[in-house]
Amino acid sequence: GLEVSVVSAAANLGANIDMMALWPNDANPTHIIACNEQGTGQAGVQRIRLSDGLTETILTGTNSCDPAHRTAWGTIVVGEESGNTGSVLEIIDPLNTTGVQYDRATHALSGANAGNVAYRPALGHLSFEGLAIYPNGVVYYGDENRPGGGTAGGAYFKFIPYSPFFGGAPISDLSQSPLAGGQVYGLRLGKRSGNTDFGQGTNTGKGVWVEIPGSDDADLRAAAATFRLTGYYRPEDLDIDLVALNNGNVRFCGNNTGNEEDDRNWGETICITDGTLAAATANAATPELQVLVPGRFRMGMLDNIAFQPGSGNWIVQEDRDAVGIPASPGSPYPFNNSIYTCLDDGKDGDLQSDGCLRFLTVNDL
């Protein structure tokens, strides 16, 4: 009973659309707000009208715009997957914001609607991919970095706003956003010997959030090395466990892509808990990271992830390097990228998913 249709094939649609957010809500959306993962000369953020596919450019000047999320206070947050120079920007009234130009060198914004976009240095700089944005403005995110040249790989971070959002009507001015100012912390696993364990061998389990001094406008990739944060192979997308959130708790899951072609490292889906939302906001909880889905030959390089309301399943999507990968080692029959639905951990003797089912595959090799 699955039906697939084209939302837009507009000539001006970004050539490398990555993450998308529905606007104004998930139940009755009228538009998609999308990041285009191209250079500064192409469209960075676009809105796509669902009724007819009309595509208009909100923002130009970003480099490799990747994550795009709607917030509880009525804005869109986007980020750049651009090494240690990647930044976060926030957009208010995205349906009436058109043609804004962003200067990455000066972070200046120009155009008739430039007041509807704000640069957010409080979240620091790294290669942004996953953003788990909680309703009060606490944000968890990873650095899409690999363990190359002796580095530990991409670390995970937490942003705690100075002025959390306590609910109510959407904000009317970007100065009211909780992302205007706050403190960043980095995840370091290892509780033994007074929280001094770190590094290889401590990539799961409990840990601490390490305060990053002077985190505003900081190079968080450099801070990961300085503060001995735990590293992973290219952290990707993140999403919030809505069942946990409804119970007042913090749990979010995401993917570490790995590297299949050179290393046969198939990646993994991990989940992080951080106590109650109140404790997480006060940085008073003990974080814990566990593997939900270990990658494998037939299910590798997982990238995007979404929590599915109702079922409570996790939807995970491959972004594999190779085209026409053999269906099994030595097999002549190829397959392409797929999307899986994965059960969460049930009442059994482990902390991992109780099973994944492949339900969509790109069939044009």
Side-chain angles (χ1 to χ4, degrees):
L2 177 67
E3 294 182 1
V4 179
S5 60
V6 174
V7 173
S8 180
N12 64 328
L13 183 66
N16 195 11
I17 294 295
D18 204 303
M19 296 195 202
M20 299 172 280
L22 295 174
W23 187 269
N25 54 54
D26 291 341
N28 296 290
T30 62
H31 291 75
I32 287 171
I33 310 298
C35 261
N36 180 37
E37 197 175 340
Q38 289 187 284
T40 58
Q42 290 80 35
V45 184
Q46 295 184 307
R47 61 176 172 266
I48 304 159
R49 194 162 62 193
L50 294 174
S51 61
D52 59 4
L54 175 70
T55 300
E56 298 169 295
T57 298
I58 296 172
L59 179 67
T60 301
T62 55
N63 187 51
S64 293
C65 187
D66 195 334
H69 292 271
R70 189 183 70 246
T71 69
W73 50 94
T75 65
I76 291 290
V77 173
V78 299
E80 296 176 301
E81 184 194 327
S82 189
N84 61 352
T85 65
S87 300
V88 167
L89 294 100
E90 187 170 15
I91 303 165
I92 198 169
D93 195 12
L95 299 193
N96 295 295
T97 303
T98 306
V100 176
Q101 181 71 38
Y102 170 58
D103 186 325
R104 295 190 76 243
T106 64
H107 306 295
L109 294 150
S110 58
N113 305 130
N116 289 351
V117 183
Y119 161 61
R120 295 302 187 203
L123 281 83
H125 302 283
L126 46 73
S127 195
F128 286 96
E129 177 93 14
L131 291 169
I133 305 175
Y134 276 80
N136 66 351
V138 171
V139 185
Y140 296 88
Y141 47 104
D143 179 11
E144 195 193 343
N145 191 23
R146 64 185 180 87
T151 66
Y156 284 97
F157 296 88
K158 174 168 73 169
F159 168 84
I160 299 178
Y162 292 143
S163 300
F165 180 68
F166 294 108
I171 63 173
S172 57
D173 189 275
L174 284 169
S175 64
Q176 301 167 335
S177 169
L179 304 187
Q183 176 62 47
V184 177
Y185 302 80
L187 180 63
R188 185 172 70 211
L189 299 185
K191 295 284 291 176
R192 188 172 177 174
S193 301
N195 304 322
T196 59
D197 276 7
F198 71 93
Q200 187 174 1
T202 58
N203 62 331
T204 60
K206 294 182 178 181
V208 294
W209 291 107
V210 180
E211 182 175 345
I212 310 297
S215 60
D216 188 281
D217 206 26
D219 180 346
L220 296 183
R221 180 169 291 185
T226 300
F227 295 98
R228 299 170 176 174
L229 305 183
T230 306
Y232 297 89
Y233 206 116
R234 289 179 57 204
E236 298 282 351
D237 193 16
L238 297 171
D239 204 9
I240 294 171
D241 180 339
L242 297 179
V243 172
L245 180 59
N246 288 339
N247 292 324
N249 298 319
V250 170
R251 180 177 184 251
F252 57 94
C253 299
N255 294 318
N256 300 318
T257 298
N259 182 46
E260 62 176 359
E261 288 193 283
D262 297 329
D263 303 331
R264 294 176 68 85
N265 175 353
W266 312 120
E268 60 191 354
T269 301
I270 56 93
C271 295
I272 297 175
T273 56
D274 198 24
T276 65
L277 183 56
T281 305
N283 202 38
T286 298
E288 180 176 347
L289 184 150
Q290 298 291 346
V291 175
L292 181 70
V293 181
R296 45 194 180 271
F297 183 87
R298 191 60 181 86
M299 186 180 177
M301 293 196 74
L302 301 175
D303 190 324
N304 292 94
I305 187 168
F307 180 85
Q308 186 177 42
S311 73
N313 289 356
W314 292 94
I315 308 302
V316 292
Q317 177 176 336
E318 294 177 307
D319 186 11
R320 309 190 79 139
D321 288 337
V323 174
I325 306 162
S328 60
S331 168
Y333 302 105
F335 67 92
N336 209 339
N337 287 312
S338 299
I339 304 179
Y340 294 79
T341 177
C342 295
L343 295 169
D344 210 330
D345 176 44
K347 296 180 179 180
D348 54 14
D350 60 37
L351 299 175
Q352 294 185 0
S353 166
D354 288 352
C356 296
L357 176 72
R358 176 168 53 94
F359 72 95
L360 284 174
T361 297
V362 178
N363 61 16
D364 181 359
L365 297 177

